[in-house]
Amino acid sequence: MYLYKRLYTKNWDHTPEESRIQVTVVKNDKVLQDFDNPTYVTAQVAYWRKFNALHGHIVDTYADGEDNYQDIYLSYDDLCDILTLLKKVRDTKDYSKLPPTAGFFFGSKDVDEYYWHEVEETINTFEDIISKEDSEEVDYIYNASW
């Protein structure tokens, strides 16, 4: 399960010079590619392995229950809502608000030490993502690939 952030970087003809974005790809101090007019820059910001409760919540809440391994677009506010839910589950120990989900390659449905570890780690991850300077200016894309 992956969470990506995607920054829109298109330079239009009317974009002022001081606001234009240029992307340069460098490897071992060698410029591999200069992009004068990239449309998007995408980066992975989170990865989960078998945190099926989070997957089930995102699919049910933000994809109308359709789980076709599709990209699910999340807003900054959606991330904040998920973080609030995770904290509520942690603080109240009420996992019924974020129940484990059964499915192909989903791992255990037990609410055990692993479940609570994933809740805590995901809280830390979302707090870090939300605290970033650009967090409200980017799109977020969740995708699960089994």
Side-chain angles (χ1 to χ4, degrees):
M1 302 165 17
Y2 303 91
L3 183 66
Y4 302 96
K5 74 176 183 178
R6 184 176 72 168
L7 176 63
Y8 184 71
T9 58
K10 178 79 172 149
N11 294 317
W12 295 93
D13 290 339
H14 61 273
T15 304
E17 194 63 38
E18 65 275 4
S19 298
R20 291 183 167 269
I21 295 173
Q22 181 176 359
V23 175
T24 302
V25 178
V26 178
K27 181 178 180 183
N28 297 328
D29 296 326
K30 179 183 176 192
V31 174
L32 297 179
Q33 180 72 52
D34 271 327
F35 295 95
D36 293 327
N37 200 10
T39 304
Y40 292 99
V41 174
T42 304
Q44 179 182 316
V45 293
Y47 168 78
W48 297 270
R49 189 173 188 283
K50 300 188 188 272
F51 188 20
N52 56 40
L54 178 65
H55 175 76
H57 175 73
I58 290 173
V59 168
D60 289 344
T61 306
Y62 304 102
D64 297 324
E66 288 292 322
D67 189 3
N68 296 316
Y69 311 112
Q70 76 274 26
D71 288 344
I72 300 171
Y73 293 86
L74 302 171
S75 68
Y76 173 83
D77 289 339
D78 295 335
L79 295 188
C80 292
D81 290 344
I82 295 168
L83 177 59
T84 298
L85 173 66
L86 288 160
K87 287 181 175 181
K88 184 179 286 187
V89 167
R90 177 197 63 195
D91 295 345
T92 64
K93 297 293 187 211
D94 180 6
Y95 65 87
S96 69
K97 306 239 186 283
L98 190 67
T101 302
F104 184 64
F105 284 122
F106 272 25
S108 173
K109 282 188 63 179
D110 296 335
V111 177
D112 54 13
E113 185 178 309
Y114 180 80
Y115 174 91
W116 294 113
H117 172 77
E118 288 299 308
V119 167
E120 192 63 41
E121 287 297 311
T122 303
I123 288 169
N124 294 337
T125 298
F126 274 54
E127 285 178 337
D128 183 55
I129 292 167
I130 289 168
S131 72
K132 299 287 192 233
E133 186 175 298
D134 66 352
S135 61
E136 293 188 58
E137 298 174 10
V138 298
D139 299 320
Y140 295 94
I141 304 165
Y142 170 83
N143 186 284
S145 174
W146 310 109

